[in-house]
Amino acid sequence: QCLFPGKRLIGVSWRGGGTVQNDKQSRLIPMADLQILASLPNVQLIDLQYGDTREELAEARSFGVDIYHDERVDPKLDLDTQAAQISALDAVVSIDNTTVHLSGALGIPTYILVPVNPNWRWGLNEGPTYWYGNAKIIRNRELNDWKDALARTSEELRADKIV
Protein backbone atom coordinates (compact mmCIF):
# COMPACT_ATOMS: atom_id res chain seq x y z
CA GLN A 1 0.00 0.00 0.00
CA CYS A 2 2.95 2.37 0.47
CA LEU A 3 3.59 2.52 -3.29
CA PHE A 4 -0.06 3.04 -4.22
CA PRO A 5 -1.85 4.93 -1.43
CA GLY A 6 -5.62 4.86 -1.69
CA LYS A 7 -5.61 2.20 -4.38
CA ARG A 8 -7.04 -1.30 -4.27
CA LEU A 9 -4.34 -3.80 -5.22
CA ILE A 10 -5.51 -6.44 -7.68
CA GLY A 11 -3.08 -9.18 -8.64
CA VAL A 12 -3.31 -10.44 -12.21
CA SER A 13 -2.01 -13.46 -14.06
CA TRP A 14 -2.94 -13.88 -17.70
CA ARG A 15 -1.45 -17.11 -19.00
CA GLY A 16 -1.27 -20.73 -17.96
CA GLY A 17 0.26 -23.87 -19.30
CA GLY A 18 3.48 -24.20 -21.19
CA THR A 19 2.41 -26.66 -23.87
CA VAL A 20 -0.49 -27.43 -26.17
CA GLN A 21 -1.07 -30.62 -24.14
CA ASN A 22 -1.98 -28.53 -21.09
CA ASP A 23 -4.09 -26.05 -23.08
CA LYS A 24 -1.75 -23.07 -23.18
CA GLN A 25 -3.57 -21.91 -26.31
CA SER A 26 -6.90 -21.52 -24.50
CA ARG A 27 -5.44 -20.14 -21.25
CA LEU A 28 -4.08 -16.85 -22.55
CA ILE A 29 -5.68 -13.46 -22.00
CA PRO A 30 -4.61 -10.78 -24.49
CA MET A 31 -2.94 -7.84 -22.80
CA ALA A 32 -5.36 -5.40 -24.45
CA ASP A 33 -8.27 -7.14 -22.69
CA LEU A 34 -6.78 -6.23 -19.30
CA GLN A 35 -7.89 -2.64 -19.98
CA ILE A 36 -11.22 -3.76 -18.55
CA LEU A 37 -9.64 -4.31 -15.12
CA ALA A 38 -7.26 -1.37 -15.38
CA SER A 39 -10.20 0.98 -15.94
CA LEU A 40 -11.73 0.18 -12.55
CA PRO A 41 -11.57 3.22 -10.23
CA ASN A 42 -8.73 3.41 -7.71
CA VAL A 43 -7.16 0.12 -8.78
CA GLN A 44 -3.53 -0.80 -9.29
CA LEU A 45 -2.82 -4.06 -11.11
CA ILE A 46 0.04 -6.16 -9.73
CA ASP A 47 1.93 -8.70 -11.86
CA LEU A 48 1.60 -12.24 -10.47
CA GLN A 49 2.45 -13.98 -13.72
CA TYR A 50 5.29 -16.47 -13.51
CA GLY A 51 8.08 -16.39 -16.06
CA ASP A 52 9.56 -13.47 -17.95
CA THR A 53 6.84 -10.83 -18.38
CA ARG A 54 8.88 -7.90 -19.73
CA GLU A 55 7.50 -8.03 -23.27
CA GLU A 56 3.93 -8.56 -22.09
CA LEU A 57 4.17 -5.65 -19.64
CA ALA A 58 5.50 -3.40 -22.42
CA GLU A 59 2.60 -4.51 -24.62
CA ALA A 60 0.15 -3.79 -21.79
CA ARG A 61 1.61 -0.28 -21.40
CA SER A 62 1.05 0.32 -25.12
CA PHE A 63 -2.66 -0.22 -24.40
CA GLY A 64 -2.57 2.10 -21.37
CA VAL A 65 -2.57 -0.79 -18.87
CA ASP A 66 -0.18 -0.20 -15.97
CA ILE A 67 0.80 -3.45 -14.26
CA TYR A 68 3.31 -3.10 -11.45
CA HIS A 69 6.07 -5.71 -11.49
CA ASP A 70 8.16 -6.30 -8.36
CA GLU A 71 11.60 -7.53 -9.46
CA ARG A 72 12.11 -9.19 -6.05
CA VAL A 73 9.30 -11.70 -6.69
CA ASP A 74 9.97 -14.74 -8.88
CA PRO A 75 7.35 -17.43 -8.22
CA LYS A 76 9.38 -20.02 -10.12
CA LEU A 77 12.28 -19.63 -7.68
CA ASP A 78 10.58 -18.61 -4.42
CA LEU A 79 6.93 -19.39 -3.79
CA ASP A 80 7.15 -17.94 -0.26
CA THR A 81 7.87 -14.47 -1.61
CA GLN A 82 4.92 -14.71 -3.99
CA ALA A 83 2.72 -15.89 -1.11
CA ALA A 84 3.75 -12.79 0.87
CA GLN A 85 2.99 -10.61 -2.16
CA ILE A 86 -0.44 -12.18 -2.67
CA SER A 87 -1.23 -11.81 1.04
CA ALA A 88 -0.85 -8.04 0.67
CA LEU A 89 -3.44 -7.83 -2.13
CA ASP A 90 -7.13 -6.98 -2.02
CA ALA A 91 -7.97 -9.61 -4.66
CA VAL A 92 -6.52 -11.78 -7.40
CA VAL A 93 -7.85 -12.18 -10.95
CA SER A 94 -6.12 -14.99 -12.78
CA ILE A 95 -6.41 -17.46 -15.58
CA ASP A 96 -6.53 -21.08 -14.36
CA ASN A 97 -2.93 -21.63 -13.21
CA THR A 98 -0.88 -22.14 -10.05
CA THR A 99 -1.56 -18.58 -8.92
CA VAL A 100 -5.23 -19.30 -8.18
CA HIS A 101 -4.35 -22.23 -5.96
CA LEU A 102 -1.90 -20.20 -3.90
CA SER A 103 -4.26 -17.24 -3.66
CA GLY A 104 -7.22 -19.46 -2.81
CA ALA A 105 -5.24 -21.32 -0.15
CA LEU A 106 -4.20 -17.99 1.39
CA GLY A 107 -7.82 -16.87 1.68
CA ILE A 108 -7.52 -13.90 -0.68
CA PRO A 109 -10.64 -13.14 -2.76
CA THR A 110 -9.83 -14.89 -6.02
CA TYR A 111 -11.56 -14.73 -9.40
CA ILE A 112 -10.59 -17.71 -11.55
CA LEU A 113 -10.94 -17.22 -15.28
CA VAL A 114 -11.47 -20.60 -16.92
CA PRO A 115 -11.56 -21.35 -20.66
CA VAL A 116 -14.57 -22.65 -22.59
CA ASN A 117 -13.44 -26.24 -21.98
CA PRO A 118 -11.77 -26.04 -18.55
CA ASN A 119 -9.90 -28.61 -16.53
CA TRP A 120 -12.16 -31.05 -14.68
CA ARG A 121 -11.34 -29.55 -11.26
CA TRP A 122 -13.44 -26.44 -11.94
CA GLY A 123 -16.68 -28.34 -12.57
CA LEU A 124 -19.41 -27.21 -14.92
CA ASN A 125 -20.85 -24.17 -13.17
CA GLU A 126 -19.82 -20.57 -12.70
CA GLY A 127 -19.58 -19.24 -9.15
CA PRO A 128 -18.10 -20.82 -6.01
CA THR A 129 -15.41 -23.48 -6.32
CA TYR A 130 -15.24 -26.83 -4.62
CA TRP A 131 -11.71 -26.07 -3.46
CA TYR A 132 -11.62 -22.57 -1.98
CA GLY A 133 -14.38 -20.73 -0.11
CA ASN A 134 -12.98 -17.35 -1.13
CA ALA A 135 -12.75 -18.07 -4.87
CA LYS A 136 -15.22 -17.69 -7.72
CA ILE A 137 -15.12 -19.24 -11.16
CA ILE A 138 -15.75 -16.94 -14.11
CA ARG A 139 -16.29 -18.98 -17.25
CA ASN A 140 -15.17 -17.80 -20.65
CA ARG A 141 -18.05 -18.25 -23.09
CA GLU A 142 -16.20 -17.60 -26.36
CA LEU A 143 -13.03 -19.32 -27.42
CA ASN A 144 -10.02 -17.03 -26.89
CA ASP A 145 -12.16 -13.91 -26.33
CA TRP A 146 -11.90 -12.85 -22.68
CA LYS A 147 -13.64 -9.46 -22.81
CA ASP A 148 -17.02 -10.69 -21.54
CA ALA A 149 -15.44 -12.80 -18.78
CA LEU A 150 -13.35 -9.81 -17.64
CA ALA A 151 -16.39 -7.52 -17.72
CA ARG A 152 -18.27 -9.99 -15.51
CA THR A 153 -15.22 -10.19 -13.23
CA SER A 154 -15.30 -6.39 -12.89
CA GLU A 155 -18.96 -6.63 -11.91
CA GLU A 156 -18.10 -9.31 -9.32
CA LEU A 157 -15.31 -7.14 -7.88
CA ARG A 158 -17.84 -4.33 -7.45
CA ALA A 159 -20.57 -6.58 -6.06
CA ASP A 160 -18.10 -8.03 -3.53
CA LYS A 161 -17.07 -4.46 -2.59
CA ILE A 162 -13.43 -5.08 -3.51
CA VAL A 163 -13.51 -1.94 -5.69
Side-chain angles (χ1 to χ4, degrees):
Q1 284 293 47
C2 296
L3 293 175
F4 308 104
K7 299 244 181 173
R8 305 299 281 178
L9 304 179
I10 308 294
V12 292
S13 182
W14 51 87
R15 63 180 149 81
T19 65
V20 172
Q21 285 82 9
N22 63 13
D23 293 324
K24 79 173 188 171
Q25 68 281 359
S26 63
R27 295 191 296 152
L28 177 63
I29 299 172
M31 300 310 287
D33 291 358
L34 293 178
Q35 289 174 312
I36 295 166
L37 296 177
S39 68
L40 289 166
N42 299 315
V43 162
Q44 175 60 52
L45 300 180
I46 308 295
D47 178 6
L48 299 178
Q49 183 62 55
Y50 44 84
D52 185 358
T53 60
R54 288 176 289 189
E55 287 183 22
E56 292 158 306
L57 295 175
E59 181 184 355
R61 279 190 298 279
S62 76
F63 294 114
V65 178
D66 177 36
I67 304 173
Y68 175 76
H69 175 79
D70 187 339
E71 291 289 334
R72 299 170 297 179
V73 180
D74 184 343
K76 284 192 160 189
L77 297 177
D78 184 3
L79 204 55
D80 287 340
T81 304
Q82 188 180 41
Q85 180 185 42
I86 289 172
S87 294
L89 300 175
D90 295 295
V92 168
V93 176
S94 177
I95 199 80
D96 164 25
N97 65 23
T98 304
T99 304
V100 300
H101 296 287
L102 184 55
S103 178
L106 290 168
I108 302 303
T110 303
Y111 301 83
I112 306 166
L113 301 166
V114 299
V116 172
N117 185 21
N119 189 279
W120 64 268
R121 72 179 58 106
W122 303 120
L124 299 174
N125 300 315
E126 191 165 275
T129 72
Y130 300 118
W131 312 109
Y132 310 109
N134 57 306
K136 291 182 180 179
I137 298 168
I138 309 289
R139 301 186 85 76
N140 186 15
R141 297 177 181 153
E142 288 195 44
L143 191 61
N144 299 326
D145 184 349
W146 291 94
K147 290 179 199 75
D148 178 62
L150 287 164
R152 287 184 286 119
T153 302
S154 292
E155 291 170 15
E156 290 287 337
L157 286 162
R158 288 177 188 185
D160 292 343
K161 299 186 181 352
I162 304 289
V163 297

